[in-house]
Amino acid sequence: MTPMPIRLQPRLSEPIRTVLDDADLLDQLVYALGSPLNLVLPGRILHNADAFAEVLAQRAVRGHVHYAHKANRSAGLVRQLAHGSAHRIDVASVGELRNALAGGFGPDRIIATGPKNAAFLGLCATLGITVVIDSLAELQQLGVLRRDTPGQPVLIRLSGFAGTAGAGAGAVRLSRSSRFGIAMADLPDVFELLAGCDGTLVLRGFAYHLDTIDIGEKVAAFDGCLSALEQSRDRGHLADVVDVGGGFGVDYLAVPQEWDNFTSALGEAVLGRRPPITWQGTGYGLRAEAGRLRGSLNLYPASRPLAGPDYLATILDSRSAVGATFATALSESLVELWVEPGRALLDQVGVVAARVLEVRRHGPGEVFVRVDLNARDVSCEEHGVQMDPVLVPVGPGERSQGEGYILGNLCLEADLVTRRRIHFPRLPQVGDVLAWANTAGYFMDFSADHALSQPVARTVTITGDRRWQLDEEFLPRTQVKEYV
């Protein structure tokens, strides 16, 4: 009996669906501007930022939403957020800081995070931009750079939080280790360094940013930051900010059951109980040992019912160590909450489109589909997200269904755009466009380069009335709701 085909259909907002349904528009854009091509919807990023802000407002929590610029290089998205809104931006390099300033953000609406060299720190110090401090050495360096001018605002990023293993369990567990942040145990050293700065550095508060989707770990980190805030106030600091970073997630799939179908089928294929569903039997971290499935699945959970603003709401509604919800604890102690969504702020914001160059038979019942982009132009595999591309047929004719693999345009054996065998309800033809939806967050240009002198995708902005501009020329309208 032939196994059922495995599909992972992407969740599509109405604006993205409208763009993908316009085959003539996509065909013309790819023809004129080249393949691959990035399309972004600036109105949607403002819609998403407003949704995060609404979570805070509903709970009477003061705070700010910061866009993590590293998730996408688009200048148009930066301009849209800078224009006519109170939202802010998080930059992680000199280049991103320049983009933010050029896009219209003032220094008071920018925070600097991530590893920083002397040039980055120096520019932040010159402009008085709030710096999220990652180490004791960085704190010392910033104090030296700013020693002649008092008032440099800083947040201290913490790590190494302890929490309980479960309600009533009483067992202590530590958050997973991180290369970032100052250990909670070193907090006395932070206060000692700040005391020696004579007002040069002003402590605004504390931050965490954990690479996990575990609510329990984030609750423990939140409690740790609130505790550090109380200790700082006891020492005379007027700190009033907790920054919980990002990691709120995105739900990528239209049909949640398809994720369960895929993971179950992958396990069966690894065990040899069904034909392979991945290139050369790739297990994505799973392996067979003595007839048993071993290892762990190294993929992002593409189906996440709890994601984005709802995830933030769940954290704020969780109980803190003092018994109240975090929302109540923040409100009653007059503490601001800062969040820095990257991926979640780019949910349904972008599409990567590419021309189909070749379709050929590879083996029994499968095809190779070669497209004019490579795996770094739409780096879903690199970031562990699995979802099907959307076929935008350009040519006429009947289409049969089929299965196969999508190959990139590099002269490399490893350049597979997806290692998962794709089921095509309608097989692509040469000249068609394949589109990867909801790829603005990290997949669109985070890893793109000029390997083998292949061109990097140009980016265009598209509004709800399907008017488009080159990204570098986009200027926001006064009213954006009409094209969200």
Side-chain angles (χ1 to χ4, degrees), residues 331-356:
S331 181
E332 291 183 348
S333 56
L334 302 179
V335 173
E336 289 188 9
L337 182 70
W338 291 4
V339 296
E340 300 157 31
R343 185 194 304 266
L345 223 57
L346 293 168
D347 187 18
Q348 301 294 322
V349 167
V351 173
V352 177
R355 186 76 72 187
V356 175

Side-chain angles (χ1 to χ4, degrees), residues 2 13 18 89 105 136 143 156 176 203 210 218 227 242 268-269 271 283 307 342 352 356 367 428 433 461 471 475:
T2 304
S13 67
T18 300
I89 194 167
F105 283 98
L136 293 171
I156 305 299
R176 67 193 66 194
L203 180 63
L210 302 180
K218 295 197 174 184
S227 172
V242 171
E268 291 176 3
L271 291 171
V352 177
V356 175
V367 298
V433 172
T461 60
D471 179 68
L475 292 175

Side-chain angles (χ1 to χ4, degrees), residues 38 145 163 180 192 196 316 348 355 370 394 408 451 477:
N38 299 331
L145 288 169
F180 298 109
E192 183 178 344
L316 287 174
Q348 301 294 322
R355 186 76 72 187
R370 183 163 59 87
V394 173
R477 302 181 196 173

Side-chain angles (χ1 to χ4, degrees), residues 174-199:
L174 294 175
S175 60
R176 67 193 66 194
S177 60
S178 171
R179 57 173 285 205
F180 298 109
I182 299 172
M184 282 288 291
D186 294 331
L187 198 51
D189 295 332
V190 171
F191 292 134
E192 183 178 344
L193 280 172
L194 289 171
C197 287
D198 296 326

Side-chain angles (χ1 to χ4, degrees), residues 8-75:
L8 294 175
Q9 300 172 80
R11 184 171 60 88
L12 302 176
S13 67
E14 191 57 36
I16 283 186
R17 190 182 300 278
T18 300
V19 171
L20 295 180
D21 284 345
D22 194 336
D24 288 341
L25 173 66
L26 283 177
D27 182 36
Q28 292 172 21
L29 285 174
V30 173
Y31 176 79
L33 299 173
S35 175
L37 181 66
N38 299 331
L39 302 94
V40 296
L41 285 67
R44 183 71 189 194
I45 194 173
L46 187 56
H47 168 86
N48 293 340
D50 287 346
F52 273 96
E54 182 62 21
V55 170
L56 303 186
Q58 289 172 349
R59 290 157 179 80
V61 173
R62 296 183 304 127
H64 295 287
V65 179
H66 298 75
Y67 166 46
H69 186 16
K70 66 181 179 181
N72 195 287
R73 303 177 192 176
S74 165

